Amino acid sequence: MIPKSSVLLIEDEENIRSFIATTLKNQNYKITTASCGTEGLHLCASLCPDVVLLDLGLPDMDGIDVIKKLREWSCVPIIVISARTHEQEKAKALDLGADDYITKPFGTVELLARIRTSLRHSNQLNAGNNAGLLAYHHGDLVVDYEKHLVTLKGEMIHLTQIEFKLLSLLAKNSG
Ligand code: CA
């Protein structure tokens, strides 16, 4: 079977961690786990998961700060899984960029449905971002997003991957 999307789970409670990990593995998701915020942030940067499941009560930092830090550079869907039921806490997490909030205890059917929903949303967003944007033309400059090529007056310009990414970002946001 082809593995489904990859999930990063940041949760310090061993029982919950292994329960969620087993559930997702059975559904053929690729799952990676972290037991604290720092480890979670590192793994998110190195693995670029499709979705992050985040507990708020972590030993080294508050999950709210994990959301803040992640949102500085990543738009990965974040689903908060927390025992904190205060409306204020939920609102704060969502305002800071979490996509969804599940209160513990929760059922596996609900968890899986929420994961599917956030994956669907992010896929739609990605498709929307790329639609109609196969290449950027400005004067003699062409940035071909699909082929990862840049030409100026018909001549190919060699760029490193990061240079290409930067130029693409600027071109997509030109004006
Ligand atoms: Ca916890």
Side-chain angles (χ1 to χ4, degrees):
M1 276 198 286
I2 308 158
K4 275 195 210 168
S5 307
S6 57
V7 179
L8 171 64
L9 167 66
I10 309 173
E11 162 70 76
D12 61 318
E13 276 165 79
E14 168 87 58
N15 288 344
I16 299 176
R17 207 167 55 232
S18 64
F19 165 70
I20 295 178
T22 310
T23 305
L24 293 184
K25 262 183 213 151
N26 289 341
Q27 295 291 319
N28 215 24
Y29 283 102
K30 270 192 288 181
I31 173 114
T32 309
T33 59
S35 55
C36 68
T38 317
E39 190 190 2
L41 285 167
H42 279 305
L43 284 173
C44 198
S46 58
L47 300 174
C48 297
D50 297 309
V51 60
V52 172
L53 302 179
L54 174 69
D55 177 31
L56 291 185
L58 297 168
D60 59 335
M61 61 199 287
D62 196 294
I64 290 286
D65 294 321
V66 176
I67 299 174
K68 270 192 220 163
K69 285 213 185 308
L70 270 182
R71 280 294 172 257
E72 286 171 8
W73 56 271
S74 170
C75 51
V76 61
I78 302 173
I79 302 175
V80 171
I81 297 174
S82 177
R84 296 181 196 168
T85 53
H86 286 292
E87 249 190 331
Q88 294 277 342
E89 285 281 351
K90 283 192 194 181
K92 199 171 166 193
L94 294 169
D95 281 344
L96 284 170
D99 297 86
D100 205 348
Y101 198 108
I102 308 178
T103 310
K104 289 176 188 170
F106 53 86
T108 49
V109 175
E110 182 184 6
L111 175 69
L112 292 170
R114 304 266 192 139
I115 291 173
R116 284 196 301 272
T117 304
S118 57
L119 286 171
R120 202 161 55 230
H121 286 167
S122 70
N123 286 341
Q124 278 167 359
L125 273 181
N126 286 339
N129 282 343
N130 293 330
L133 273 177
L134 299 175
Y136 168 81
H137 296 261
H138 183 82
D140 295 323
L141 176 74
V142 180
V143 182
D144 189 321
Y145 301 125
E146 268 207 326
K147 294 179 192 150
H148 280 235
L149 288 177
V150 179
T151 55
L152 185 64
K153 292 183 181 167
E155 280 193 40
M156 193 142 73
I157 297 173
H158 294 279
L159 295 179
T160 64
Q161 218 169 6
I162 188 80
E163 285 167 343
F164 181 82
K165 274 190 183 170
L166 278 171
L167 185 63
S168 304
L169 193 70
L170 289 171
K172 282 178 185 173
N173 294 288
S174 66

